Amino acid sequence: MNSILYALFQGEYEINMERGKEQQELGKKLCEEWEKIQKVMGIEFVDQLGELEGEEDNWRAFHYYQAGFRLGVRLMLEALGL
């Protein structure tokens, strides 16, 4: 079955976002800047900073998920006239 709703129901839906050329170039430039920082500050600093940024990104993604879920519920309630 090739249905998004069915995949969601089964817990098998995955979003595989392809990165465009601009995103790839930005990623490359970002890596180059991180390498410069690593040379000056050391690998431990860069690792710690990366871990902190990753943790912050996880919280941000969770908040986006919550907001999207709330929006979905509001849309459903509106559609049902409640």
Side-chain angles (χ1 to χ4, degrees):
M1 179 175 280
N2 194 12
S3 167
I4 291 175
L5 288 178
Y6 186 75
L8 286 170
F9 175 73
Q10 294 288 38
E12 299 171 351
Y13 182 74
E14 270 188 54
I15 299 174
N16 294 322
M17 309 246 332
E18 292 185 27
R19 295 176 57 180
K21 186 176 180 178
E22 289 179 11
Q23 283 181 305
Q24 291 175 2
E25 287 296 318
L26 183 59
K28 183 178 177 182
K29 289 178 183 178
L30 186 59
C31 286
E32 291 170 358
E33 295 302 316
W34 274 111
E35 288 175 4
K36 291 177 187 176
I37 293 170
Q38 180 180 334
K39 287 179 184 177
V40 174
M41 301 297 289
I43 188 71
E44 293 84 15
F45 175 81
V46 172
D47 286 345
Q48 178 65 21
L49 189 59
E51 286 179 23
L52 291 171
E53 286 184 334
E55 194 173 325
E56 182 183 33
D57 286 344
N58 287 340
W59 278 108
R60 185 178 304 117
F62 177 69
H63 289 292
Y64 287 151
Y65 175 80
Q66 280 182 321
F69 188 82
R70 287 185 192 122
L71 175 61
V73 169
R74 289 175 60 196
L75 289 170
M76 292 294 290
L77 291 173
E78 183 71 27
L80 295 172
L82 300 174

